[in-house]
Amino acid sequence: MFENTDYRIFFEFIKNYSGRGFANIDNQDQSMIRLNRILSRRRQFFYIADLLKFKILYTSPQILDIFGVSPEDYDLSHNFRVSHPLDIERRSRVRVKVIESGQELFIRKSGNKIISSSFRMKNITGVYSDIFMQSYLFYCNSPIETVYILMVHTPITLLLKKFKRGYYQW
């Protein structure tokens, strides 16, 4: 699942699409075909959102295989709707941390931050699965001044079953 984890592909995505505000992303573009092939192999999906507007700008098609939701129907409230009830409070604290971090970047007018956590969420079969979420927040001033969040979701339940003493510490 994590073989040759190379996040340069996401920085290529950011470079290719940030200048136009992540609008009109073409899944038939060669770089997107390559990115989607890697995500499918790793059983991951990602989205990019304008954090200040709380608006998802693009969601990769792999979400359909993991959560059974089309990229067009995915919104920021979905993760709360499918979260395990015992994870809601912690998820809320992480959301506050993400928003505060985005505000800090916007006020500074530069920089980036990485935030990660894992939560139990209902997968496409309706069973709770452990999902590792990696967030990359970054300030951008073109074409608009904002903070974007690129969020990668990785199901890790099968990986966790390999560890006999509880959760792996990331």
Side-chain angles (χ1 to χ4, degrees):
M1 180 186 320
F2 294 106
E3 79 288 342
N4 298 321
T5 302
D6 185 351
Y7 292 97
R8 285 181 291 188
I9 187 108
F10 291 108
F11 291 108
E12 181 181 325
F13 168 81
I14 291 168
K15 179 182 170 192
N16 289 344
Y17 292 101
S18 64
R20 52 182 155 172
F22 299 98
N24 304 316
I25 295 173
D26 181 7
N27 281 322
Q28 300 308 312
D29 176 65
Q30 287 302 310
S31 65
M32 290 305 295
I33 290 171
R34 196 170 109 235
L35 175 58
N36 284 318
R37 189 178 312 125
I38 290 169
L39 291 170
S40 292
R41 189 174 61 242
R42 293 180 184 166
R43 291 201 26 80
Q44 295 175 310
F45 81 91
F46 82 99
Y47 70 78
I48 186 86
D50 183 321
L51 190 58
L52 301 182
K53 292 180 181 178
F54 294 103
K55 181 180 178 187
I56 292 179
L57 305 171
Y58 174 83
T59 303
S60 68
Q62 295 76 16
I63 189 172
L64 192 58
D65 299 329
I66 296 170
F67 287 135
V69 176
S70 73
E72 299 78 25
D73 292 334
Y74 184 70
D75 61 37
L76 292 173
S77 67
H78 178 268
N79 291 346
F80 276 91
R81 289 193 308 271
V82 300
S83 288
H84 190 282
L86 296 177
D87 286 353
I88 295 292
E89 182 180 339
R90 187 168 55 88
R91 180 177 265 299
S92 296
R93 286 193 307 266
V94 171
R95 179 180 255 187
V96 168
K97 179 66 177 166
V98 167
I99 293 168
E100 287 174 347
S101 296
Q103 289 172 334
E104 289 171 16
L105 294 174
F106 189 75
I107 290 166
R108 267 198 333 240
K109 305 223 178 287
S110 68
N112 56 60
K113 287 200 175 195
I114 295 174
I115 300 171
S116 63
S117 191
S118 65
F119 301 101
R120 293 168 290 181
M121 300 168 70
K122 282 186 184 175
N123 62 24
I124 190 170
T125 65
V127 174
Y128 286 106
S129 176
D130 293 284
I131 307 290
F132 183 52
M133 300 167 69
Q134 299 162 286
S135 307
Y136 177 68
L137 289 73
F138 59 100
Y139 173 82
C140 192
N141 62 4
S142 177
I144 62 169
E145 186 178 26
T146 193
V147 174
Y148 292 109
I149 179 170
L150 187 142
M151 174 86 74
V152 180
H153 294 67
T154 307
I156 58 172
T157 299
L158 295 176
L159 180 66
L160 292 176
K161 287 182 179 180
K162 293 180 180 180
F163 298 99
K164 300 196 182 346
R165 296 185 187 160
Y167 289 91
Y168 181 76
Q169 300 298 314
W170 295 97

